[in-house]
Amino acid sequence: MSLVLDPVAQDLLFREARTANTFTDEQVTDEQVQAIYDLVKYGPTAFNQTPLRVVLVRSEEARARLLPHMSEGNRAKTGTAPLVAILAADNEFHEELPRLLPHFPQAKDVFFSERSTRESNAGMNSALQAAYFIVGVRAAGLAAGPMTGFDFAGVQKEFLDDDHTPLMIVNIGRPGEDASLPRLPRLDYDDVVTTV
Amino acid sequence: MSLVLDPVAQDLLFREARTANTFTDEQVTDEQVQAIYDLVKYGPTAFNQTPLRVVLVRSEEARARLLPHMSEGNRAKTGTAPLVAILAADNEFHEELPRLLPHFPQAKDVFFSERSTRESNAGMNSALQAAYFIVGVRAAGLAAGPMTGFDFAGVQKEFLDDDHTPLMIVNIGRPGEDASLPRLPRLDYDDVVTTV
């Protein structure tokens, strides 16, 4: 009752949405991914740095290069998902800052001249954007299957470069049969929130 | 067109939602925070580790302890926001795993025996949950003002402990006058997404 978001939307994005491990054959189109991006690109990041980058693994050739890097438990679902997205952090995001933060273009040099600072910022802020992306996949009526069980160095070498760090890989599609495990428990409010 | 989420919800959560820098006097109740948590707690994390912890700064005494740690540009808004939340990562989240992952309680020891592994996991997954939390604040019809401009070590010492790392501080309330800067640019789809 304290939420103004429509209950149907609450269910779509959080309450009924589930991580999917199997998918139907229905394709995920570029138009859907573009619509997802055009929604979630507005999610806030520090200094508007928006360091998330996405590699869509569409061709059979690319998928064949990806599968050996997946952990055994993730290989079958990544092999059959209609679309697979590698989410990565751009550690050189500061090069775009003059365009993203036009009222303070000096931020590029004042705050982000050190690579280690950029890496920690890109890690945290691309994770925020990964969460927005997962919410966006659900907003498109699709299921996401986010995974961190893969060889990060191998995926970086195969699909990215030294400036881009893998964050997670997300299977995307419509849920198939027995797509999800039973909902796991969550912590109680009082375990998570304290008031001072 | 490619999204099934109601356009009103799209606007509420992303398109019209803005980071707020000023707020009205209207209070943010514990019931609202509980409703936000009860929605966004379902957002996915790796191994269901859900490492995010939240400290609500409610008392004037606590706020007075917080303000000196805020960067100068954040002090006024944090001083006047109806509610301020410190979001932190619990680096000892694995202690809760037997309860959170009942079908694989060994995960606690198999994957998370090393503190450094826990810290990197807690950092990434609490950032995912921070993004869900921001979306949840908006789902409650409120504005969030997430900030990383503060003395992290000072806030940790004052409000947390060695096992909890600050992630961001979020001002929460209804937007006041001139609450937001003009919307900043975003990267184009083709700058962010590549297909292989």
Side-chain angles (χ1 to χ4, degrees), chain A residues 2-5 9-15 17 19 29-44 46-50 52-59 61-62 65 96 99-103 121 123-124 127-132 134-136 138-141 146 148 159 167-168 181 183-189 191-196, chain B residues 2-5 9-15 17 19 29-44 46-50 52-59 61-62 65 96 99-103 121 123-124 127-132 134-136 138-141 146 148 159 167-168 181 183-189 191-196:
Chain A
S2 293
L3 300 179
V4 304
L5 182 67
Q10 294 179 32
D11 288 345
L12 179 71
L13 302 181
F14 288 104
R15 291 193 205 282
T19 291
T29 66
D30 287 338
E31 290 67 31
Q32 286 174 298
V33 182
Q34 174 111 38
I36 292 165
Y37 178 72
D38 283 341
L39 180 69
V40 302
K41 69 183 179 186
Y42 293 117
F47 290 94
N48 196 33
Q49 60 188 250
T50 57
L52 183 74
R53 303 293 179 264
V54 179
V55 178
L56 297 180
V57 180
R58 271 217 183 276
S59 70
E61 172 271 325
R65 287 192 288 125
E96 306 287 349
R99 174 180 163 203
L100 291 169
L101 203 68
H103 64 285
N121 265 267
M124 204 276 274
L128 296 179
Q129 290 191 281
Y132 304 142
I134 290 168
V135 171
R138 293 168 166 190
T148 52
F159 292 96
L167 192 73
M168 65 176 66
L181 300 169
R183 170 78 83 185
L184 290 167
R186 292 299 192 270
L187 296 173
D188 295 333
Y189 180 81
D191 295 329
V192 171
V193 181
T194 55
T195 302
V196 293
Chain B
S2 293
L3 300 179
V4 304
L5 181 68
Q10 293 179 32
D11 288 346
L12 179 71
L13 302 181
F14 289 103
R15 292 193 204 282
T19 291
T29 66
D30 286 338
E31 290 67 32
Q32 286 174 299
V33 182
Q34 173 111 41
I36 291 165
Y37 178 71
D38 283 339
L39 180 69
V40 302
K41 69 183 180 186
Y42 294 117
F47 291 95
N48 196 33
Q49 59 187 251
T50 58
L52 183 74
R53 303 294 179 265
V54 179
V55 178
L56 298 180
V57 180
R58 271 216 183 276
S59 70
E61 171 271 326
R65 287 192 287 126
E96 306 286 349
R99 174 180 162 201
L100 292 169
L101 205 66
H103 64 285
N121 265 266
M124 202 277 272
L128 297 179
Q129 290 190 281
Y132 304 141
I134 291 168
V135 171
R138 293 167 165 191
T148 52
F159 291 96
L167 192 72
M168 65 175 66
L181 301 168
R183 170 78 84 185
L184 290 166
R186 293 299 192 269
L187 296 173
D188 295 334
Y189 180 81
D191 295 328
V192 171
V193 180
T194 55
T195 301
V196 294

Side-chain angles (χ1 to χ4, degrees), chain B residues 65 69 151-162 164-166:
Chain B
R65 287 192 287 126
H69 300 290
D151 173 3
F152 277 62
V155 167
Q156 182 170 21
K157 183 150 187 265
E158 188 71 40
F159 291 96
L160 303 165
D161 59 30
D162 288 347
H164 293 81
T165 308

Side-chain angles (χ1 to χ4, degrees), chain B residues 66-77:
Chain B
L66 175 61
L67 291 183
H69 300 290
M70 303 306 297
S71 69
E72 204 175 306
N74 287 331
R75 205 165 290 149
K77 51 192 172 187

Side-chain angles (χ1 to χ4, degrees), chain A residues 48-161:
Chain A
N48 196 33
Q49 60 188 250
T50 57
L52 183 74
R53 303 293 179 264
V54 179
V55 178
L56 297 180
V57 180
R58 271 217 183 276
S59 70
E60 285 309 303
E61 172 271 325
R63 194 182 302 237
R65 287 192 288 125
L66 175 61
L67 291 183
H69 300 290
M70 303 306 297
S71 70
E72 204 175 307
N74 286 332
R75 204 164 290 150
K77 52 193 172 187
T78 303
T80 53
L83 184 62
V84 179
I86 301 168
L87 306 193
D90 182 357
N91 297 306
E92 299 298 295
F93 67 85
H94 67 314
E95 297 294 349
E96 306 287 349
L97 271 189
R99 174 180 163 203
L100 291 169
L101 203 68
H103 64 285
F104 184 33
Q106 312 91 295
K108 171 177 185 288
D109 302 308
V110 173
F111 291 110
F112 299 112
S113 61
E114 299 285 338
R115 171 78 175 208
S116 62
T117 304
R118 296 201 296 275
E119 287 180 359
S120 60
N121 265 267
M124 204 276 274
N125 287 282
S126 65
L128 296 179
Q129 290 191 281
Y132 304 142
F133 183 83
I134 290 168
V135 171
V137 167
R138 293 168 166 190
L142 300 168
M147 301 169 292
T148 52
F150 59 90
D151 173 4
F152 277 63
V155 167
Q156 182 170 23
K157 183 150 188 264
E158 189 71 41
F159 292 96
L160 303 165
D161 59 31

Side-chain angles (χ1 to χ4, degrees), chain B residues 13-33:
Chain B
L13 302 181
F14 289 103
R15 292 193 204 282
E16 301 292 329
R18 300 298 314 286
T19 291
N21 298 305
T22 71
F23 298 91
T24 71
D25 289 339
E26 188 179 326
Q27 291 305 298
V28 176
T29 66
D30 286 338
E31 290 67 32
Q32 286 174 299
V33 182

